[in-house]
């Protein structure tokens, strides 16, 4: 069992990072190749300024028209996605792994609270 845990906390972490980065680079390559082959009209209007403005608008609760039309659905959606990204930081198992490997520790949520959220 100890050898398995050492494998998961050692080489498997680097293997999963490697798969993630290779997959991300591959998908970006395919996306940019597709952009060059498809409609030039749509992509000629894409700019960093308007892309960042759109991302900021969607990250701000109740700024997009769709979330103002259905505020309950919009609010639940923001809470769900916020918990989806924040909850793993406070899971007991994740904090324990970080404490054992790097001596970092902070407040944790119990497994039942985390499952409920």
């Amino acid at each position: 069992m100890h050898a398995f845990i050492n494998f998961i906390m050692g080489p498997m972490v680097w293997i999963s990072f490697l798969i993630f980065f290779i997959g991300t680079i591959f998908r970006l390559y395919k996306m940019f190749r597709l952009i060059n082959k498809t409609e030039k009209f749509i992509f000629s209007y894409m700019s960093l300024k308007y892309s960042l403005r759109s991302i900021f608008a969607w990250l701000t609760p109740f700024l997009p028209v769709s979330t103002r039309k259905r505020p309950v659905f919009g609010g639940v959606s923001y809470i769900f996605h916020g918990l989806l990204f924040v909850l793993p930081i406070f899971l007991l198992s994740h904090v324990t792994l970080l404490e054992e490997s790097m001596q970092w520790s902070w407040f944790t949520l119990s497994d039942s609270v985390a499952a409920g959220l």
Side-chain angles (χ1 to χ4, degrees):
M1 185 65 168
H2 188 65
F4 178 70
I5 291 174
N6 285 339
F7 173 72
I8 294 296
M9 291 177 64
M12 194 62 187
V13 171
W14 297 112
I15 291 169
S16 52
F17 278 132
L18 189 64
I19 290 171
F20 169 74
F21 286 118
I22 289 173
T24 302
I25 290 168
F26 177 70
R27 294 295 295 175
L28 287 172
Y29 169 74
K30 282 182 63 174
M31 182 183 72
F32 285 120
R33 231 179 83 208
L34 181 66
I35 287 172
N36 290 333
K37 290 182 178 180
T38 58
E39 298 181 32
K40 302 288 185 194
F41 178 75
I42 294 172
F43 297 109
S44 65
Y45 287 98
M46 293 181 74
S47 71
L48 182 62
K49 175 184 172 184
Y50 294 115
S51 297
L52 291 176
R53 186 179 80 173
S54 176
I55 291 170
F56 176 74
W58 279 102
L59 288 175
T60 306
F62 305 110
L63 185 61
V65 175
S66 61
T67 56
R68 282 184 273 155
K69 285 183 178 178
R70 296 187 178 150
V72 174
F73 180 75
V76 169
S77 177
Y78 277 102
I79 291 170
F80 170 78
H81 286 98
L83 288 174
L84 184 69
F85 288 109
V86 173
L87 189 62
I89 296 170
F90 297 103
L91 285 177
L92 178 62
S93 55
H94 291 169
V95 174
T96 302
L97 286 173
L98 286 171
E99 188 175 5
E100 288 178 2
S101 62
M102 295 186 243
Q103 288 73 43
W104 295 352
S105 182
W106 55 81
F107 170 76
T108 62
L109 297 173
S110 69
D111 290 336
S112 59
V113 170
L117 291 174

